[in-house]
Amino acid sequence: MPWGAAVGAGIGLLGSVMQGDAASDAAAAQAAGQAEAARISAEEARFRPIGITTRFGQSQFTTGPDGRVSGAGYTLTPELRAMQDRFMALTGQGLSQAEAAQAAFAPLSTGAQGLFGLGQQYLAQSPEQAALQYMTRQQDLLAPSRERLMAQLQNRLFQTGREGLSVGATGARPSGAAGLGATTPEMEAYYNAIAQQDAELATRAAEEGRRQVTFGAGLLGTGGELLRGGYQGQVAALAPYTSYLGGMTGLEELGQQPLNIGINIGAKGQSTAGANALLQGGLAAAQSRAAADSVNPFATALIGASQNPAIQQGLGRMFGGRSATSGFGAGGYGAGVNPFSGEYMGSLEF
């Protein structure tokens, strides 16, 4: 490699090292500036609540050695505290009343269960079965009176000598069924009355069958109403307790107002926009300083000189001109011409 290029490379390397040191120092300064900007921004955005006193209470905030909020609380006024104590006593009474409600409304539950069982019994039969049962019972009730009436009729016919008289017979019906048998007018009137009575009983039996089903369903509904009434009574028994507890809670909320107001004021005092502006400004300043500090003029000059061809040629003539009787040798530097001034240089012996 020519001497001028080698010396120029060395000068360029020295300039690069100096420039690298300047860039490293600038990066460290930028990092420190960014950290300081972040610290200032965080300080600006810190939550700063304020203690408040109202008609109902007072709030307190405590901070640690680092200035951060470490605790918060509030105190009710003596008047609200006394009212709250009275509500507390009523709350205990209301809770005892609610606890006794289950036993107080137990008879409703028992009655409901009884109605459920009775209703199931009525619904166990279909309307037709209920109608047949009704018809049978009514005929059983009418049987004694009908038998007495038959005996009286037969006695009357016997006494009048018409016991064997039979009239009113009819032939077979078009359907093939047998017609009416012959009998006395009294007996015919008797059996016609019984048939009319049975027809009326059959109509009432059908109605009774439907009514029995409706009645059974009504028993179930009444039992459900009783059971629902028992549950509603227990819920209503709890109402005084919840009302007293609500009154006590309402007083507590009044006492919490100073705490909430202080928190809201502290939150509004947090300047997020200002903190962001400070952070961005600090970062921009750190970057500008880093850009300015990262440039070393002397290093830039050295690097520029190392890349200048004219300077490289001069250095080559200064340090690279050697011959048999001059130049670098064991005996010393040979005679030569100064590449910068053009003057003759004598030899230098060692």
Side-chain angles (χ1 to χ4, degrees):
M1 176 185 293
W3 279 100
V7 174
I11 294 174
L13 178 60
L14 176 61
S16 298
V17 172
M18 295 176 66
Q19 183 64 44
D21 291 341
S24 177
D25 294 341
Q30 181 181 10
Q34 290 175 346
E36 181 63 15
R39 185 191 66 78
I40 296 174
S41 175
E43 181 66 24
E44 181 66 20
R46 178 175 295 181
F47 175 61
R48 297 181 177 88
I50 299 176
I52 301 295
T53 300
T54 66
R55 176 66 179 81
F56 307 107
Q58 182 179 12
S59 63
Q60 306 91 24
F61 297 92
T62 58
T63 56
D66 57 353
R68 299 180 182 275
V69 176
S70 59
Y74 63 94
T75 303
L76 297 178
T77 61
E79 295 84 0
L80 257 67
R81 183 68 180 179
M83 294 180 187
Q84 198 176 52
D85 292 340
R86 293 169 62 183
F87 267 120
M88 181 64 74
L90 292 174
T91 300
Q93 298 175 8
L95 187 58
S96 299
Q97 179 180 343
E99 291 173 344
Q102 185 173 6
F105 290 98
L108 291 180
S109 178
T110 302
Q113 296 300 328
L115 289 175
F116 289 156
L118 186 59
Q120 290 291 344
Q121 292 179 12
Y122 275 96
L123 295 177
Q125 290 181 323
S126 66
E128 292 77 12
Q129 291 174 336
L132 179 60
Q133 184 179 14
Y134 175 82
M135 189 73 177
T136 302
R137 289 177 180 176
Q138 293 299 319
Q139 289 179 341
D140 288 343
L141 291 175
L142 292 175
S145 61
R146 289 178 176 180
E147 291 174 358
R148 285 194 299 269
L149 184 60
M150 172 62 76
Q152 292 174 1
L153 180 58
Q154 289 176 345
N155 185 40
R156 186 182 311 113
L157 292 175
F158 177 76
Q159 290 178 357
T160 58
R162 296 182 295 111
E163 184 177 7
L165 179 62
S166 298
V167 296
T170 62
R173 295 181 180 179
S175 62
L180 299 176
T183 184
T184 62
E186 291 81 0
M187 292 296 290
E188 183 180 4
Y190 169 77
Y191 283 113
N192 286 338
I194 290 179
Q196 183 66 29
Q197 194 176 42
D198 287 344
E200 294 176 358
L201 286 177
T203 301
R204 288 199 299 268
E207 296 176 353
E208 184 63 24
R210 293 190 295 269
R211 185 164 49 248
Q212 179 170 316
V213 174
T214 303
F215 182 71
L219 291 177
L220 294 180
T222 303
E225 291 294 332
L226 287 180
L227 194 61
R228 186 181 301 107
Y231 292 148
Q232 291 176 348
Q234 295 181 44
V235 173
L238 190 63
Y241 166 75
T242 56
S243 298
Y244 301 148
L245 186 62
M248 187 169 59
T249 304
L251 294 177
E252 193 73 17
E253 291 177 354
L254 290 176
Q256 289 177 353
Q257 286 183 358
L259 179 63
N260 296 331
I261 294 173
I263 291 175
N264 291 334
I265 293 177
K268 292 179 180 179
Q270 288 180 284
S271 178
T272 305
N276 290 335
L278 286 174
L279 177 60
Q280 296 301 324
L283 293 178
Q287 291 175 355
S288 299
R289 180 180 175 183
D293 293 345
S294 63
V295 179
N296 188 324
F298 185 64
T300 303
L302 288 178
I303 295 175
S306 67
Q307 297 175 352
N308 191 320
I311 295 178
Q312 290 182 4
Q313 292 176 2
L315 291 175
R317 288 195 300 269
M318 178 182 291
F319 298 101
R322 293 182 300 173
S323 63
T325 59
S326 64
F328 296 105
Y333 290 103
V337 178
N338 189 328
F340 297 102
S341 62
E343 297 178 354
Y344 173 78
M345 296 176 59
S347 63
L348 178 63
E349 299 293 337
F350 290 98

